[in-house]
C-alpha cells in the first residue's frame, strides 16, 4: 500500500544512505539512455555521501557502462547487484580485473548444468527457448531467436551457442531464462513442479522472459548481503523498480518506489509511486530525499 505521495518525501530527508536502482524501465528511458536530470540528481546525491547501487538482471559488462555515466566507478563504494540477485560485485574490482568471465565476486549463488537441463526440458515442452549466464562461458544461447537476440544486444559479453539439454554437470550458471510468447511462458510457469521453487526464484522480468535465479535469490536478498558487507541497514535504502523481479527488493527496504510505468503488482507493493522512466522519475524522488 502506498504510504506517501511525492510531495511528502522531503520530510524523509536524512533517513537514507543508499539508492538501489533497477535499470530497464526504471533508470533507463525506452531508448536505453539515462536522462540528464537523473544523472545530475544521482551525482549530487553521491556527492552528499549516498551510495548509488545498480541492481539489474544484466551482466556487469553492461552495468559498468551505466555506472560510468553516473560517476560511480572509481568511488570507494562502487557496488552492483547483478543477474537479478544471483551475485554482488564491486564494479571497481570488475573493471580492474579486465575479465568478462571469471570476474571477482563478493557474493554469488549458482546452479549446475544438470539442473538447467531439467528446466530446459520443461521449457521445450511449452514451446520456449533458453539462454543464460554461465560462470565459465558467459552468455550461452540455444539459437538466435528474437528474444535471445535482445539479450545479446544489451549485454557486451562473450557469446556461445550450446545445446541446453546436454550441459555438463560441472558447468555453473548465475541464471537462465526461458523465452517465448507471453502465453507460452504463462503455461510453462503454471506447469513447473514444486521442487523448482525450493531451488530457484522464478521471476517475470519482461513479457517474453521467465527467469530462474538459483538459491531462491532476489534483488532483495542480494541487497541484504551487500548491506552486511558494507555495514548498512536495509531500512536506510531507497529502491526503485518497475517489474515483478523488483518486488522483493521494493518490499525489503526502507522506502520502495515504483515507477508510474511499473506493473500493477509493484505499484501495490511500493511505498510511493513516482513519475515514469520517460519523465526521469528517479530524480523526482532523489531530489527530495538528498
Amino acid at each position: 500500500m502506498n504510504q506517501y505521495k511525492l510531495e511528502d518525501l522531503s520530510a524523509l530527508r536524512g533517513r537514507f544512505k543508499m539508492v538501489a536502482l533497477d535499470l530497464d524501465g526504471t533508470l533507463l528511458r525506452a531508448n536505453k539512455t539515462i536522462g540528464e536530470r537523473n544523472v545530475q540528481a544521482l551525482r549530487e546525491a553521491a556527492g552528499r555521501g549516498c551510495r548509488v547501487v545498480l541492481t539489474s538482471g544484466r551482466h556487469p559488462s553492461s552495468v559498468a557502462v551505466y555506472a560510468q555515466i553516473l560517476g560511480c566507478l572509481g568511488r570507494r563504494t562502487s557496488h552492483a547487484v547483478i543477474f537479478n540477485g544471483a551475485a554482488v560485485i564491486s564494479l571497481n574490482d570488475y573493471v580492474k580485473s579486465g575479465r568478462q568471465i571469471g570476474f571477482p565476486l563478493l557474493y554469488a549463488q549458482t546452479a549446475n548444468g544438470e539442473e538447467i537441463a531439467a528446466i530446459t526440458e520443461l521449457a521445450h515442452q511449452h514451446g520456449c527457448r533458453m539462454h543464460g549466464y554461465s560462470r565459465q562461458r558467459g552468455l550461452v544461447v540455444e539459437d538466435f531467436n528474437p528474444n535471445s537476440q535482445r539479450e545479446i544486444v544489451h549485454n557486451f559479453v562473450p557469446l556461445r551457442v550450446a545445446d541446453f539439454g546436454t550441459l555438463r554437470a560441472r558447468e555453473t550458471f548465475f541464471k537462465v531464462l526461458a523465452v517465448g510468447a507471453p502465453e507460452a511462458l504463462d503455461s510453462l510457469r503454471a506447469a513447473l513442479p514444486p521442487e523448482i521453487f525450493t531451488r530457484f526464484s522464478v521471476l517475470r522480468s519482461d513479457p517474453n522472459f521467465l527467469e530462474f535465479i538459483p538459491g531462491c535469490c532476489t534483488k532483495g536478498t542480494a541487497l541484504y548481503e551487500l548491506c552486511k558487507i558494507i555495514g548498512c541497514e536495509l531500512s536506510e535504502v531507497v529502491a526503485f523498480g518497475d517489474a515483478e523481479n523488483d518486488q522483493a527488493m521494493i518490499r525489503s527496504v526502507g522506502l520502495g518506489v515504483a515507477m508510474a510505468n511499473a506493473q500493477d503488482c509493484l505499484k501495490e507493493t511500493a511505498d510511493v509511486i513516482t513519475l515514469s522512466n520517460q519523465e526521469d522519475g528517479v530524480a523526482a524522488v532523489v531530489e527530495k530525499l538528498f
Side-chain angles (χ1 to χ4, degrees):
M1 179 180 292
N2 306 145
Q3 299 184 50
Y4 303 102
K5 296 181 179 179
L6 274 178
E7 55 267 28
D8 301 331
L9 294 183
S10 296
L12 303 180
R13 185 170 294 177
R15 294 190 187 184
F16 304 105
K17 298 179 180 179
M18 180 192 296
V19 173
L21 296 157
D22 171 56
L23 287 177
D24 298 285
T26 300
L27 179 63
L28 304 186
R29 293 178 173 178
N31 63 1
K32 305 304 179 184
T33 63
I34 307 177
E36 186 55 38
R37 184 183 174 191
N38 277 344
V39 173
Q40 185 65 27
L42 290 166
R43 282 179 173 261
E44 289 190 10
R48 296 173 183 268
C50 172
R51 301 172 186 267
V52 177
V53 175
L54 300 182
T55 67
S56 177
R58 296 184 181 218
H59 185 280
S61 61
S62 177
V63 175
V65 171
Y66 295 109
Q68 179 71 53
I69 294 170
L70 296 176
C72 296
L73 296 184
R75 291 185 178 272
R76 180 176 56 87
T77 55
S78 63
H79 298 101
V81 170
I82 55 175
F83 303 129
N84 271 329
V88 176
I89 62 168
S90 159
L91 283 168
N92 284 340
D93 290 347
Y94 169 74
V95 173
K96 288 177 183 176
S97 76
R99 301 199 302 269
Q100 293 178 312
I101 298 173
F103 46 84
L105 296 162
L106 297 176
Y107 167 83
Q109 293 284 337
T110 57
N112 65 47
E114 288 183 345
E115 292 176 295
I116 303 309
I119 293 172
T120 299
E121 182 177 356
L122 292 169
H124 287 175
Q125 290 172 7
H126 293 267
C128 302
R129 306 300 288 167
M130 298 287 294
H131 65 250
Y133 288 94
S134 163
R135 192 164 183 172
Q136 291 77 25
R137 293 193 285 174
L139 178 57
V140 181
V141 303
E142 285 196 287
D143 53 36
F144 295 96
N145 65 79
N147 294 310
S148 293
Q149 190 65 39
R150 284 199 289 148
E151 195 85 20
I152 295 167
V153 169
H154 293 153
N155 291 273
F156 320 113
V157 62
L159 172 71
R160 300 287 185 274
V161 178
D163 180 352
F164 271 62
T166 59
L167 294 172
R168 299 168 296 171
R170 66 179 181 272
E171 185 167 11
T172 53
F173 283 78
F174 291 109
K175 72 168 186 174
V176 293
L177 298 86
V179 300
E183 57 272 17
L185 294 176
D186 290 342
S187 175
L188 168 61
R189 191 174 197 172
L192 291 173
E195 55 266 26
I196 291 288
F197 299 95
T198 67
R199 187 66 186 91
F200 294 87
S201 288
V202 182
L203 305 168
R204 200 67 170 267
S205 58
D206 180 278
N208 301 106
F209 291 168
L210 183 64
E211 304 204 13
F212 295 80
I213 317 298
C216 296
C217 291
T218 65
K219 291 182 181 182
T221 63
L223 272 183
Y224 172 73
E225 296 295 334
L226 175 57
C227 284
K228 286 197 300 182
I229 291 168
I230 64 178
C232 181
E233 299 293 332
L234 280 171
S235 61
E236 299 173 314
V237 179
V238 183
F240 294 78
D242 75 303
E244 181 191 342
N245 61 313
D246 301 311
Q247 195 166 23
M249 174 176 71
I250 294 297
R251 284 175 171 165
S252 67
V253 299
L255 185 70
V257 184
M259 312 304 292
N261 53 287
Q263 295 174 2
D264 288 342
C265 65
L266 205 71
K267 289 181 178 179
E268 293 165 1
T269 299
D271 297 308
V272 63
I273 299 173
T274 187
L275 305 178
S276 74
N277 62 322
Q278 294 295 104
E279 301 169 294
D280 291 354
V282 168
V285 172
V286 170
E287 289 165 354
K288 293 184 180 296
L289 294 179
F290 298 95

